[in-house]
Amino acid sequence: MDERKETMDDYKAELEASFRKLSEGDIVTATVIAVSEDEASLDLKYYAPGIIKANELSDDPDYSIMENLHPGDEISASIVSMDDGNGNILLSKKEANQTLGWEKVKDAMEHQTILNVHVKEAVNAGVITYVEGLRAFIPVSQLSLDYVEDASTWVGKDLEVRVITADAEKKKLVLSAKGILKEREEEARNHRIAMLTPGTIVEGVVESLTNYGAFVNIGDGLTGMVHVSQVCQRRIGKPGEVLKIGQKVRAKLLNTKDNRIALSMRALEESAEPSAEGSKMAKEYSSHETASTSLGDLIAKLNLK
């Protein structure tokens, strides 16, 4: 009895769906039943099936109905006509894209969602791709962190992008890959910094000088700063008094607080300076003692208490 009741409920739900009122302009969700080169048949759970022509699926010129659409897929489409002349409901996914597509890209912009796109063609000052069936533009300045001289070299590439402009009225959809690339680079840099060990001696090249410090390129895309107080033991007004751009230097890594690399050249000088007692003994030995001086004579000179 329970099994029969469940079957009746299912039948009731389908019956009610078949009598729901549909009108031209409505956006409906349908399941693909069959696909041919010219059109796709769809199940609307309605008394009449839906038909969508191949040229009404997408604005993307490279869209292929046979490759991109398969039985079992669910798609959203607008009702163009309640009767195509053969008892079918005529649909258009392109029209639905103009409503649903813009809603999706606006939501992606609001939430800074990362989208995957395929570059289709190069145009003046950028490239063209498609998102949710909508034509989108990526300015050449937003393709890479580096200067892009020829946008055509990006055709055929897959990119991660974010939506930076979504204006449905002007049909203006602009994307950017640059921000994501910058984030990826920053993450990789911070990881390399995290692997550094305080106290390590590093070698690098002075790449710039300011009044408060010297910036030293230590390789692997990392730059550390030697504060003016850490350049040398003697007091100086600015690093440029003892350093010059392009000069090779050695320094001790002090810390990597807040992902900033702090270096000290002065620390190396201090660690290399001999102790006062050691210097005195070395001076006495070299000035007053001969190679034949006995160990007992040397010990007698020490004031052991």
Side-chain angles (χ1 to χ4, degrees):
M1 290 295 292
D2 290 341
E3 184 178 347
R4 181 180 178 184
K5 182 177 184 297
E6 182 178 348
T7 303
M8 290 293 290
D9 287 344
D10 289 344
Y11 174 76
K12 180 181 179 182
E14 290 187 7
L15 185 64
E16 289 177 351
S18 69
F19 283 103
R20 76 186 192 277
K21 183 174 177 57
L22 296 179
S23 304
E24 292 182 7
D26 288 351
I27 296 177
V28 295
T29 299
T31 303
V32 178
I33 301 172
V35 181
S36 69
E37 291 286 351
D38 300 319
E39 62 185 27
S41 299
L42 302 106
D43 178 13
L44 298 171
K45 297 192 184 307
Y46 200 61
Y47 70 85
I51 292 291
I52 185 167
K53 300 296 182 182
N55 62 356
E56 287 297 321
L57 282 165
S58 175
D59 286 318
D60 186 345
D62 293 332
Y63 185 92
S64 169
I65 185 173
M66 297 300 292
E67 293 181 8
N68 298 108
L69 201 62
H70 308 91
D73 290 350
E74 282 195 352
I75 63 172
S76 295
S78 295
I79 297 176
V80 177
S81 173
M82 291 301 294
D83 190 343
D84 67 346
N86 294 309
N88 303 307
I89 297 176
L90 192 61
L91 305 168
S92 171
K93 190 174 186 302
K94 286 169 65 172
E95 286 191 13
N97 287 343
Q98 294 304 313
T99 300
L100 298 180
W102 283 107
E103 289 179 358
K104 290 180 180 179
V105 295
K106 285 180 179 179
D107 182 76
M109 180 174 65
E110 180 181 347
H111 293 92
Q112 292 290 289
T113 305
I114 294 178
L115 306 174
N116 294 294
V117 298
H118 186 74
V119 178
K120 298 292 186 179
E121 62 176 307
V123 293
N124 184 34
V127 297
I128 298 299
T129 186
Y130 288 82
V131 178
E132 298 294 338
L134 303 172
R135 191 173 189 266
F137 175 65
I138 306 177
V140 68
S141 63
Q142 298 298 316
L143 282 170
S144 173
L145 294 175
D146 302 317
Y147 173 73
V148 176
E149 185 173 356
D150 184 4
S152 65
T153 59
W154 291 78
V155 175
K157 291 186 177 183
D158 294 319
L159 299 176
E160 287 186 322
V161 297
R162 285 196 180 100
V163 179
I164 57 176
T165 302
D167 190 329
E169 291 184 4
K170 296 181 179 179
K171 293 186 177 180
K172 185 177 181 181
L173 180 56
V174 184
L175 313 175
S176 171
K178 190 172 184 177
I180 298 172
L181 293 173
K182 192 171 183 178
E183 289 172 8
R184 298 277 191 268
E185 183 180 67
E186 188 69 15
E187 289 172 2
R189 176 182 177 276
N190 290 344
H191 176 71
R192 294 196 298 274
I193 291 176
M195 300 300 290
L196 297 176
T197 304
T200 304
I201 307 302
V202 298
E203 295 184 350
V205 177
V206 178
E207 60 182 15
S208 65
L209 296 168
T210 66
N211 289 334
Y212 58 85
F215 290 88
V216 179
N217 185 331
I218 61 173
D220 203 18
L222 301 178
T223 296
M225 190 192 81
V226 182
H227 190 267
V228 62
S229 65
Q230 296 298 317
V231 172
C232 60
Q233 286 185 306
R234 69 183 178 87
R235 186 180 181 84
I236 58 175
K238 56 184 179 180
E241 294 178 15
V242 294
L243 297 174
K244 60 182 180 180
I245 295 175
Q247 181 178 342
K248 291 183 179 180
V249 297
R250 296 174 74 247
K252 179 180 286 188
L253 195 156
L254 297 180
N255 62 69
T256 56
K257 185 179 180 181
D258 297 326
N259 290 318
R260 296 178 181 178
I261 304 171
L263 305 173
S264 174
M265 295 170 60
R266 176 179 177 175
L268 288 186
E269 291 183 5
E270 292 174 344
S271 62
E273 185 179 80
S275 65
E277 185 67 24
S279 298
K280 181 179 178 182
M281 289 183 62
K283 182 178 180 180
E284 290 181 353
Y285 177 80
S286 61
S287 301
H288 305 293
E289 305 296 339
T290 64
S292 60
T293 302
S294 68
L295 179 60
D297 292 335
L298 288 177
I299 293 176
K301 290 181 178 289
L302 295 177
N303 183 19
L304 299 177
K305 294 184 179 180

